[in-house]
Amino acid sequence: MKVGIYTLGCKVNTYESEYIASLFREAGYKIADFEDTCDVYVINTCTVTNQSDVKSRKMIHQVVRRNPSACIVAMGCFIEANKDISLEGVDIILGNKDKSKVVSLVEQFFATREPIRDLYDDLGDEFEDMEIRDFENRTRAFVKIQDGCENFCSYCIIPRVRGRCRSKKKDVVLREIECLIQHGFQEIVLTGIHTGNYGVDLGTDFASLLADIVELKGLKRLRISSIEITELNDRVLEILANYPVIVDHLHIPLQSGSDEILKRMNRKYDTIYYREKINKIRLVRPEIAITTDVIVGFPGEDETHFMETYQFCEEMNFAKIHVFPYSIRSKTAASKMKDQVLGPIKKERVKRLLSLSNQLEKSYMDQFVGRTVEVLIERERDGISYGHTGNYLFVQVEGKYQSGDLLPLKIFKTAYPCCIASPLTEKEVVKQ
């Protein structure tokens, strides 16, 4: 039987979907293109914004219309946030627990043809172990080390749908990464809902895990998917300074450059703290690409607050800014706040901050013209190969290279949003 899997949202969902795909393969199912007519459809949903909810509903309704006789599974954060939801045509409804049981639940459904709702009031304290040996059709492998969040930012629904912080045991993390290295993956990406809070439930911490990972033989690149500024302590910075296997890129959410708005958001830092920590990072990694997330149009944000954010982003000289208009999430503190910002104002502020992001990104790219960089090739089309450097420059080079190749290339110009590179000459190779 054929299974189609569709993933919305974050890298954690991507990891979980890959794990679910591996379970179906082991059980004898064939993983097919989601657009195919399949016997089973799995939609791993997201609820981080209103738009995520819309997309989740759309994909569920789409497969119900496409093949109503298939077993249709809807799971994940959108379901967890809407436990009482009625989804006509959906046969199995799961939240964020028991995803590892999806194959047995599908087989139970085929045996009984009775709908299944597998939902809990409490996601518990135990990490649901998932361990991946391979990532199909990917050049980098994600490793989920942690789940849950207890920050309770006033705008965010994630603590409610992902539960308390739970961590994968260190020996399991190390074993999984070693296996992926043996399968030829050049880059490992550590991911979680609150990645830097790893170990809080195990009596350890993220720095301790990082110190063991960087010593693994054969590891070429290690990337941290996202980390809070408050979790980049001196021990983490010491490891960052001494182990170049950690790529020259960190994604550190800012959310606002206004101290007043940060306080309303219930973030755990102010701009002084953020600035000082960024300066410390750049002392040990001068050319690091620091990317960030910013929410605009948070309740109470006026033009003065927005300009504080704009100017702070400019000062921080981010390599890229991911900009999101504030999205009301029910049952969060911010949803009850007065002074909600009108949609057109949010849209206009998003546009201005994205324009700044484009300027900063191009400026960062331009620094590397004439430089030799190492590029992980991801795809090839019409004789042009594409990939990313460790510091996440998007690079294209003429030639048919294999996905997964890690190549030294020389950037000779930028054509935003891409860097144009060429292979090294024989003389340049000798110098390498």
Side-chain angles (χ1 to χ4, degrees):
M1 287 197 287
K2 294 199 297 185
V3 180
I5 301 175
Y6 192 89
T7 307
L8 295 110
C10 64
K11 291 181 176 66
V12 171
N13 268 8
T14 299
Y15 175 92
E16 291 171 348
S17 291
E18 188 62 35
Y19 176 72
I20 288 164
S22 72
L23 294 179
F24 275 111
R25 287 190 202 97
E26 289 170 9
Y29 293 78
K30 179 184 176 183
I31 303 300
D33 190 294
F34 189 78
E35 299 302 319
D36 290 353
T37 301
C38 298
D39 304 287
V40 180
Y41 292 100
V42 179
I43 303 97
N44 198 0
T45 64
C46 177
T47 193
V48 71
T49 65
N50 288 325
Q51 192 60 32
S52 303
D53 284 357
V54 170
K55 289 180 180 178
S56 295
R57 283 180 179 274
K58 181 180 177 181
M59 294 314 302
I60 292 167
H61 292 154
Q62 187 181 109
V63 294
V64 170
R65 289 194 302 271
R66 186 189 308 160
N67 186 7
S69 64
C71 174
I72 297 171
V73 183
M75 63 166 60
C77 292
F78 171 69
I79 301 299
E80 198 70 56
N82 300 277
K83 288 179 179 174
D84 297 329
I85 195 169
S86 176
L87 294 170
E88 188 174 348
V90 175
D91 304 299
I92 301 175
I93 293 177
L94 293 175
N96 278 320
K97 190 174 181 180
D98 289 349
K99 287 182 175 179
S100 58
K101 297 179 181 178
V102 64
V103 174
S104 62
L105 292 173
V106 165
E107 292 181 346
Q108 177 185 328
F109 172 77
F110 279 133
T112 66
R113 290 289 169 177
E114 292 291 329
I116 298 168
R117 291 179 72 89
D118 189 14
L119 298 168
Y120 297 82
D121 292 331
D122 190 333
L123 296 175
D125 297 317
E126 294 296 317
F127 184 86
E128 185 174 0
D129 264 331
M130 299 180 181
E131 197 172 341
I132 289 179
R133 300 181 185 87
D134 201 0
F135 258 72
E136 292 283 318
N137 305 315
R138 286 187 176 271
T139 53
R140 53 179 59 84
F142 300 155
V143 175
K144 178 185 170 184
I145 64 171
Q146 182 275 345
D147 205 339
C149 180
E150 296 169 44
N151 266 0
F152 292 99
C153 299
S154 65
Y155 53 82
C156 187
I157 197 174
I158 297 306
R160 191 162 71 84
V161 299
R162 280 286 179 173
R164 294 183 289 278
C165 290
R166 290 126 31 226
S167 307
K168 183 179 286 185
K169 291 178 181 177
K170 187 190 289 188
D171 61 334
V172 179
V173 175
L174 297 175
R175 183 177 67 211
E176 185 171 9
I177 294 174
E178 285 178 321
C179 183
L180 291 165
I181 292 169
Q182 290 165 11
H183 275 82
F185 283 95
Q186 308 275 25
E187 181 174 310
I188 305 297
V189 183
L190 301 180
T191 190
I193 299 300
H194 189 177
T195 309
N197 205 33
Y198 173 86
V200 67
D201 54 327
L202 300 178
T204 184
D205 62 11
F206 182 66
S208 175
L209 175 67
L210 204 58
D212 286 344
I213 294 174
V214 294
E215 297 288 356
L216 292 177
K217 291 182 180 178
L219 180 63
K220 298 288 181 64
R221 278 189 186 178
L222 181 67
R223 190 180 301 277
I224 302 164
S225 62
S226 180
I227 189 165
E228 294 289 339
I229 194 79
T230 52
E231 285 143 11
L232 287 160
N233 58 35
D234 289 346
R235 178 65 177 129
V236 173
L237 294 189
E238 182 185 347
I239 297 167
L240 191 67
N242 293 311
Y243 289 90
V245 70
I246 301 174
V247 297
D248 238 0
H249 170 244
L250 285 173
H251 186 79
I252 310 171
L254 170 65
Q255 306 306 7
S256 177
S258 163
D259 287 333
E260 184 178 337
I261 299 300
L262 285 173
K263 190 172 182 179
R264 288 169 67 87
M265 287 178 165
N266 195 33
R267 299 294 284 171
K268 307 301 189 287
Y269 52 84
D270 58 18
T271 53
I272 292 173
Y273 181 95
Y274 194 100
R275 179 189 292 109
E276 288 176 350
K277 193 58 67 80
I278 294 296
N279 289 340
K280 279 188 176 182
I281 294 166
R282 286 178 169 148
L283 279 176
V284 301
R285 289 286 188 97
E287 294 185 331
I288 194 168
I290 297 176
T291 57
T292 198
D293 295 331
V294 173
I295 296 170
V296 300
F298 187 79
E301 181 192 78
D302 60 21
E303 181 65 15
T304 299
H305 298 129
F306 173 73
M307 285 309 300
E308 287 174 351
T309 295
Y310 186 99
Q311 289 161 6
F312 189 76
C313 288
E314 198 170 29
E315 178 194 344
M316 290 299 96
N317 200 24
F318 293 117
K320 188 180 182 71
I321 308 167
H322 299 268
V323 187
F324 304 92
Y326 167 71
S327 183
I328 297 175
R329 302 281 72 202
S330 64
K331 300 179 183 178
T332 61
S335 68
K336 303 175 182 70
M337 290 180 181
K338 297 177 181 178
D339 302 322
Q340 297 287 333
V341 179
L342 296 174
I345 295 175
K346 288 192 279 191
K347 187 175 181 180
E348 188 266 343
R349 289 177 186 168
V350 167
K351 185 177 179 181
R352 285 156 65 189
L353 203 54
L354 282 176
S355 178
L356 174 63
S357 176
N358 293 343
Q359 294 171 38
L360 295 174
E361 188 175 8
K362 186 178 186 307
S363 176
Y364 182 76
M365 290 166 55
D366 288 344
Q367 297 176 55
F368 296 89
V369 173
R371 304 268 290 276
T372 297
V373 295
E374 197 171 54
V375 179
L376 179 61
I377 300 298
E378 294 157 358
R379 60 187 172 89
E380 179 271 329
R381 184 178 180 183
D382 299 329
I384 306 290
S385 296
Y386 304 86
H388 283 87
T389 61
N391 58 341
Y392 229 62
L393 299 177
F394 182 48
V395 177
Q396 75 173 51
V397 59
E398 283 192 27
K400 295 185 177 182
Y401 296 99
Q402 291 294 314
S403 173
D405 284 351
L406 201 54
L407 302 177
L409 299 171
K410 189 170 185 177
I411 295 175
F412 62 86
K413 70 174 181 177
T414 60
Y416 181 79
C418 194
C419 294
I420 315 299
S422 59
L424 301 189
T425 64
E426 287 185 19
K427 189 180 290 187
E428 287 169 331
V429 170
V430 171
K431 285 183 179 180
Q432 286 281 305

